[in-house]
Amino acid sequence: MGRLKSILAALIILSAISCSKDNVIIRNTLDIGAVVSPIKFVTDAGLVMNIVENNSGQEISIHERAILLFDVLRQRSGSEYDIRVLEINKPLMKDIARSSSVDQGAMGNDPIFLRSGWFSGGYINIEFLIKVIKGSSTKHVINMVYEEVADNADTLHFMLRHNGLGDVIDFNRPIGEQVEFVDGRSYATFPIRDFLPASRDEMPVAISYSWYDYQADGSLPGKVKSFRRTGVLRR
């Protein structure tokens, strides 16, 4: 993908109402924002979602950043809706590190795949994929690092870093000693607004990461490749 795309857009102006039995306007909507109370979710776009039903199987508590999957039941006003929560995701939330002040070894260089990314609410939000040993309880470390390089005057450069703490595929391990790996998918959100210079209303962004260089048949060739995604950060 040439540029980072939002997978979590604000709700479209409703021009038609579903005539389903439970009067759902829109099904399976995904959005990010803040759970400001057990009965209210405010999206990054400023839409107010009143939580009138919770089918997630999780207790709803206050979170500064949360990703909710929900059905829209009714529209209360131009920017206020009643919703039924189907799923709650609590993304990893941490500050962006600067390359000049981090322990490069602790950051790690293990493979991580940027499945999608978008800017909203002053954050860069990502969905990522890593490989983990099946059944492992190892806590992998994920960071976004600001690369302090000369051409940041024209483009802001970041690197998505992953330290699997040894819980990663070892291509040099004998076949008989290989362990089973599974996909681990999750979300992370990093405040990015302060990296936009005061003199700029928008600026290109490049995010680099490394991932396995799969063959056409989906098999791993035994090496890792560098990738880069680009987008535009706007004030």
Side-chain angles (χ1 to χ4, degrees):
M1 299 173 72
R3 56 180 294 176
L4 295 174
K5 293 184 177 180
S6 171
I7 61 169
L8 308 179
L11 290 171
I12 306 170
I13 296 175
L14 301 175
S15 58
I17 297 179
S18 168
C19 58
S20 61
K21 288 190 296 184
D22 55 358
N23 293 322
V24 174
I25 296 176
I26 301 178
R27 293 185 183 276
N28 298 324
T29 298
L30 194 70
D31 215 335
I32 188 169
V35 179
V36 298
S37 81
I39 59 171
K40 188 164 291 187
F41 172 62
V42 180
T43 74
D44 282 351
L47 301 176
V48 176
M49 304 295 178
N50 302 312
I51 302 170
V52 298
E53 294 182 34
N54 178 17
N55 290 358
S56 68
Q58 299 174 253
E59 182 179 350
I60 297 177
S61 55
I62 295 173
H63 293 287
E64 185 177 353
R65 302 291 287 166
I67 296 173
L68 267 59
L69 178 68
F70 54 89
D71 292 336
V72 180
L73 303 179
R74 63 189 63 87
Q75 184 174 11
R76 291 291 184 183
S77 67
S79 61
E80 185 176 0
Y81 302 82
D82 290 347
I83 65 171
R84 172 195 298 136
V85 175
L86 306 174
E87 184 178 303
I88 304 170
N89 291 285
K90 303 168 187 175
L92 168 70
M93 179 180 172
K94 60 197 309 185
D95 289 334
I96 294 174
R98 291 179 178 269
S99 60
S100 61
S101 59
V102 300
D103 180 339
Q104 294 294 334
M107 291 291 103
N109 287 298
D110 294 325
I112 181 169
F113 183 67
L114 179 59
R115 299 192 75 228
S116 61
W118 67 99
F119 302 111
S120 66
Y123 290 79
I124 170 67
N125 313 293
I126 66 168
E127 183 185 10
F128 64 88
L129 169 68
I130 57 177
K131 292 288 187 180
V132 299
I133 295 177
K134 186 176 183 178
S136 173
S137 59
T138 299
K139 301 290 186 183
H140 291 231
V141 180
I142 309 297
N143 282 284
M144 185 74 75
V145 178
Y146 175 60
E147 298 292 300
E148 295 167 296
V149 295
D151 63 346
N152 273 334
D154 297 317
T155 301
L156 298 174
H157 292 267
F158 298 87
M159 181 170 287
L160 184 58
R161 302 283 291 271
H162 167 217
N163 186 345
L165 302 176
D167 188 5
V168 293
I169 295 175
D170 182 358
F171 293 108
N172 297 317
R173 183 178 293 170
I175 294 177
E177 298 178 14
Q178 291 288 349
V179 295
E180 183 178 358
F181 282 82
V182 295
D183 290 345
R185 290 184 174 88
S186 192
Y187 295 96
T189 181
F190 307 90
I192 196 173
R193 180 183 286 127
D194 290 345
F195 288 89
L196 185 63
S199 60
R200 303 284 294 270
D201 290 327
E202 62 179 46
M203 199 165 180
V205 170
I207 299 178
S208 301
Y209 60 97
S210 61
W211 186 240
Y212 302 103
D213 190 13
Y214 282 89
Q215 300 282 27
D217 62 1
S219 62
L220 291 174
K223 62 181 179 179
V224 173
K225 182 180 177 181
S226 294
F227 295 86
R228 191 174 80 155
R229 299 281 189 92
T230 59
V232 177
L233 173 63
R234 295 182 173 86
R235 194 171 300 283

